[in-house]
Each structure stands twice: as structure tokens, then as C-alpha cells.
């Protein structure tokens, strides 16, 4: 399942890798191709880490425009925000000892990527709207307007209609930006993409390493609240600390491991408090002999792994031979 496919293969260095086999990603790639040469604004929506910037770069790549200029709206705050965006003339304010080109002008004949557009302060939203309508702006301290022509691509993980309703985002700007909408579903809603993305990231960060089958299963079953970014970071970290050729479940971060294979030891121990093979006094005090705790831990691990002894041993942090020896001593050597 994690074998290379044409989509998992690393893209040519110049090409933006928008990896995925799910219908949602296939449709997204098709839509990007269809709208590439269109000059209308594009609004990219998706949870954090779903690949909004990757999609923005793909739109730019397909459009054949000159330059891709990322404009991080979450940092456009404070007194310098306007000059960052529009540039300024020498002497416009204290410290402005040369003319400076703003981000908008840099994006002339290219793509202006307004990242985190939902964070743009209302005062700048009004100014941006004017630029989008008039294709003109004035650098701070200038009396002359400049013409700018760029493809506007914006992205946000916020619900912009809701922001409009709450008066935090201008409705007119929202309508202006929301001409072509590209939605990227969260990774948990397109699990088919996990294997192909995981293979891609493993190759990128640790060529030569492989996932063991339980790791493949864990990656597939985990919900990835941080989406593709969390998947990539997890694989990067796992490959950095792994010592073998195979990434085993012991290499998984505990967040993933415990969500996918929940530690049911406590539950097993609690339920066994009423087990008939325990002495009544230990039942009363909720204390079990250590050997009994161990036996329950081992049987629980085998039930979680559905009898897979190698994985159970890994989960328990003991060797396979030790596991076999212990099972034999419980008289369940061949029974599980
Ligand atoms: N479909 C994909 N193919 C290949 N890499 C991807 C894909 N989606 C996301 N990534 C990778 O995941 C990471 C996060 O992607 P990106 O920065 O585009 O997400 P984002 O939606 O902009 O996140 P945020 O909301 O946090 O800004 C990046 O390293 C990116 O290369
Ligand atoms: Mg981003």
C-alpha cells in the first residue's frame, strides 16, 4: 500500500509536488489546470496544515506568471504594515532614508499570495479592496499612483462568511476574493492520501528507510489534527531518531501510538479485579500481584494487536523471545 506510485515519486525539483490520489485532490489538480490562465482571484480554504500554500504555488506554477510573492497577512500589523504592502518614498517617515518597493509592486505581473487573509486588519482590508478594484495604489509618502497587475490568490483557515457576519471581515472584499474557491479537505477525510504522502515524506527525509506494517496501519488510522504538516513532521522526527532500517511502532510519537493503540492496561486490570483467579483480599484492595499485572499487560497487548506477537512485543518494550517464554510460563504458549 505504501509502494511508490507515479504520484508518490518525488516531483522534479522545479515542480510543486501536490501529492494525493483521493478524488478530492485529483479534482483539485484538474480545477487548478482549468483556472490557471484565468485572471480571477482565487480563494483557498482549508484547515491548518492541509496544503494551502502548496496549492497556491501550484496555481502560480500552472499560470506561467513571473513571480510568486507571499504576503503573510498575520504579520501586517502595527505602524509599518502599510509601508510593507505599498512601499514608501524617501522621507515619508522617520527612518525612511531611501525609496522602498512594497510587496504589491514586487508581485507586478506575478502572483500575489495573501496568506492568512482572515488576519488582515480592517483598515488594510479597505485599502486592499481599492487596489483590487482600481489596480492602483500609492506608496506611503507618494502623490503619484502606480499601476499594478497581479493574480491574487488568498488563503485562510478561518470561516470567512462567519468573519463577515461578525463584522471582522469586509463583505465587499470577501465577494471580490471569493470568485474561484479551492477547498482542501482535512487529511482525515481523504485517508487514501496518507500512504502516498507518507511514502513521499519518507523518501524526502529518509531515503532507504521503510515503514513496518503496524506503523503503516497507525499512520492510516490516526486523525491528524495538524493535517499534512503533522504527518510530515512525524515522519521526519521518526526517521531522525530511528536506528534500524524499518520504522517500528516504538518510533511512533506517543500521541499517535496511544490514540491508535489505546493503552487498555488499566481497563484490563480493573476488569480483572473481579476475576475469580484472584485472592479475595487482593480484589478488595484493588492490588494485584506483579506477575498478574504482567500477565494482563501481555494478554491485552496480544488482543490489541490481534495476536501479532512481534508487534505486541514492541508495544510492551520486550523482545520476542521473552514474550514467548512468558506466554509458555502462563501455559498459553500456543493458544494465542
Ligand atoms: N498535497 C501535498 N503534497 C505534498 N506536500 C504537501 C501537501 N500538502 C501539504 N504538504 C506539505 O505539508 C506542509 C504544510 O503545507 P502548507 O504549508 O501548504 O499548509 P497550509 O495549509 O498553508 O498550513 P497553515 O494553515 O498552517 O499555514 C508543507 O511542508 C507542505 O509541503
Ligand atoms: Mg500556510
Amino acid at each position: 500500500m505504501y509502494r511508490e506510485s507515479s504520484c508518490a515519486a518525488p516531483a522534479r525539483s522545479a515542480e510543486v509536488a501536490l501529492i494525493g490520489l483521493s478524488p478530492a485532490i485529483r479534482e483539485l489538480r484538474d480545477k487548478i489546470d482549468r483556472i490557471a490562465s484565468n485572471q480571477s482571484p482565487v480563494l483557498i480554504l482549508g484547515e491548518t496544515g492541509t496544503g494551502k500554500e502548496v496549492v497556491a504555488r501550484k496555481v502560480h506554477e500552472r499560470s506561467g506568471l513571473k513571480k510568486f510573492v507571499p504576503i503573510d497577512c498575520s504579520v501586517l500589523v502595527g505602524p509599518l504594515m502599510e509601508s510593507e504592502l505599498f512601499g514608501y518614498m524617501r522621507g515619508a517617515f522617520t527612518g525612511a532614508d531611501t525609496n522602498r518597493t512594497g510587496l504589491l509592486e514586487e508581485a507586478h505581473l506575478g502572483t500575489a499570495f495573501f496568506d492568512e487573509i482572515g488576519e488582515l486588519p480592517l483598515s488594510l482590508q479597505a485599502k486592499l479592496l481599492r487596489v483590487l478594484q482600481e489596480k492602483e495604489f500609492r506608496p506611503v509618502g507618494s502623490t503619484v499612483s502606480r499601476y499594478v497587475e497581479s493574480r491574487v490568490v488568498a488563503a485562510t483557515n478561518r470561516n470567512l462568511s462567519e468573519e463577515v457576519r461578525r463584522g471582522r471581515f469586509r463583505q465587499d472584499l470577501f465577494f471580490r476574493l471569493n470568485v474561484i474557491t479551492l477547498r482542501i479537505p482535512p487529511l482525515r477525510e481523504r485517508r487514501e492520501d496518507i500512504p502516498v504522502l507518507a511514502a513521499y515524506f519518507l523518501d524526502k527525509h529518509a531515503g532507504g528507510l521503510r515503514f513496518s506494517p503496524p506503523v503503516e496501519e497507525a499512520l492510516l488510522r490516526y486523525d491528524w489534527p495538524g493535517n499534512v504538516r503533522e504527518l510530515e513532521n512525524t515522519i521526519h522526527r521518526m526517521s531522525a531518531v530511528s536506528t534500524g532500517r524499518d520504522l517500528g511502532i516504538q518510533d511512533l510519537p506517543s500521541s499517535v501510538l496511544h490514540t491508535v493503540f489505546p493503552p487498555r492496561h488499566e481497563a484490563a486490570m480493573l476488569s480483572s479485579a473481579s476475576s475469580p483467579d484472584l485472592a479475595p483480599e487482593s480484589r478488595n484492595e484493588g492490588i494485584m500481584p506483579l506477575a498478574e499485572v504482567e500477565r494482563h499487560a501481555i494478554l491485552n497487548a496480544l488482543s490489541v494487536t490481534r495476536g501479532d506477537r512481534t508487534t505486541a512485543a514492541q508495544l510492551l518494550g520486550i523482545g520476542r523471545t521473552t514474550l514467548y517464554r512468558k506466554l509458555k510460563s502462563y501455559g498459553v504458549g500456543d493458544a494465542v
Side-chain angles (χ1 to χ4, degrees):
M1 134 176 111
Y2 278 70
R3 305 297 148 247
E4 280 209 345
S5 77
S6 58
C7 284
R12 290 200 312 273
S13 61
E15 206 175 285
V16 176
L18 175 56
I19 310 289
L21 299 168
S22 62
I25 296 296
R26 287 175 194 272
E27 277 162 30
L28 196 60
R29 275 196 294 262
D30 287 350
K31 192 163 178 188
I32 291 173
D33 284 343
R34 284 199 308 275
I35 56 127
S37 52
N38 190 316
Q39 278 304 298
S40 307
V42 177
L43 183 62
I44 304 168
L45 303 174
E47 283 180 13
T48 180
T50 44
K52 296 185 292 297
E53 177 152 357
V54 173
V55 167
R57 288 183 184 272
K58 197 75 187 168
V59 170
H60 171 73
E61 179 188 277
R62 288 286 189 258
S63 72
L65 292 172
K66 260 174 41 188
K67 207 171 169 189
F68 181 85
V69 179
I71 303 174
D72 183 351
C73 300
S74 64
V75 301
L76 289 179
V77 290
L80 291 180
M81 60 190 183
E82 232 184 291
S83 51
E84 277 286 311
L85 203 52
F86 301 111
Y88 53 81
M89 306 305 290
R90 186 171 165 216
F93 48 83
T94 323
D97 39 18
T98 52
N99 293 344
R100 168 129 177 235
T101 309
L103 292 165
L104 273 176
E105 199 167 354
E106 259 186 57
H108 183 53
L109 301 182
T111 302
F113 174 47
F114 291 89
D115 201 4
E116 319 269 5
I117 189 85
E119 315 298 318
L120 199 68
L122 277 164
S123 58
L124 271 195
Q125 289 179 26
K127 293 192 165 136
L128 178 60
L129 180 67
R130 208 166 319 128
V131 179
L132 297 186
Q133 281 166 343
E134 319 288 334
K135 295 192 180 347
E136 272 185 4
F137 70 96
R138 265 188 218 170
V140 179
S142 169
T143 49
V144 186
S145 292
R146 294 194 188 169
Y147 175 76
V148 69
E149 170 94 57
S150 55
R151 175 95 189 253
V152 172
V153 178
T156 183
N157 53 23
R158 293 203 183 195
N159 178 341
L160 277 192
S161 332
E162 180 63 18
E163 296 296 298
V164 168
R165 210 181 54 75
R166 289 168 176 249
R168 294 198 292 233
F169 203 84
R170 290 182 66 109
Q171 189 173 45
D172 42 12
L173 180 60
F174 175 54
F175 287 154
R176 189 91 203 173
L177 292 172
N178 196 23
V179 180
I180 298 168
T181 313
L182 300 178
R183 262 173 228 282
I184 317 176
L187 197 50
R188 63 185 172 281
E189 287 174 16
R190 48 180 171 106
R191 288 182 195 269
E192 316 91 291
D193 290 339
I194 295 176
V196 70
L197 280 165
Y200 172 74
F201 294 135
L202 190 64
D203 191 57
K204 177 173 163 189
H205 296 295
L209 286 186
R210 290 174 316 194
F211 296 114
S212 66
V215 167
E216 289 183 351
E217 191 190 335
L219 297 181
L220 201 56
R221 280 170 52 190
Y222 185 60
D223 267 351
W224 303 109
N227 293 294
V228 185
R229 175 176 295 113
E230 187 186 7
L231 175 67
E232 174 163 16
N233 289 345
T234 300
I235 292 170
H236 194 178
R237 270 202 310 273
M238 285 173 72
S239 45
V241 296
S242 160
T243 46
R245 257 185 65 74
D246 276 7
L247 295 177
I249 48 176
Q250 70 282 358
D251 297 314
L252 281 170
S254 53
S255 52
V256 178
L257 185 64
H258 289 147
T259 322
V260 177
F261 301 118
R264 282 196 253 146
H265 303 77
E266 289 98 330
M269 282 189 264
L270 280 175
S271 67
S272 67
S274 56
S275 115
D277 56 351
L278 279 183
E281 53 279 15
S282 55
R283 219 186 297 155
N284 291 344
E285 294 165 28
I287 295 170
M288 278 190 270
L290 210 50
E292 194 57 24
V293 174
E294 184 185 275
R295 191 173 82 96
H296 277 280
I298 289 176
L299 294 179
N300 184 48
L302 283 165
S303 108
V304 166
T305 62
R306 292 188 216 104
D308 176 345
R309 294 181 182 186
T310 309
T311 310
Q314 283 180 354
L315 273 173
L316 292 160
I318 59 175
R320 243 169 83 95
T321 340
T322 313
L323 179 64
Y324 275 100
R325 189 166 36 76
K326 286 181 186 293
L327 284 173
K328 212 164 164 206
S329 76
Y330 307 147
V332 288
D334 297 316
V336 284

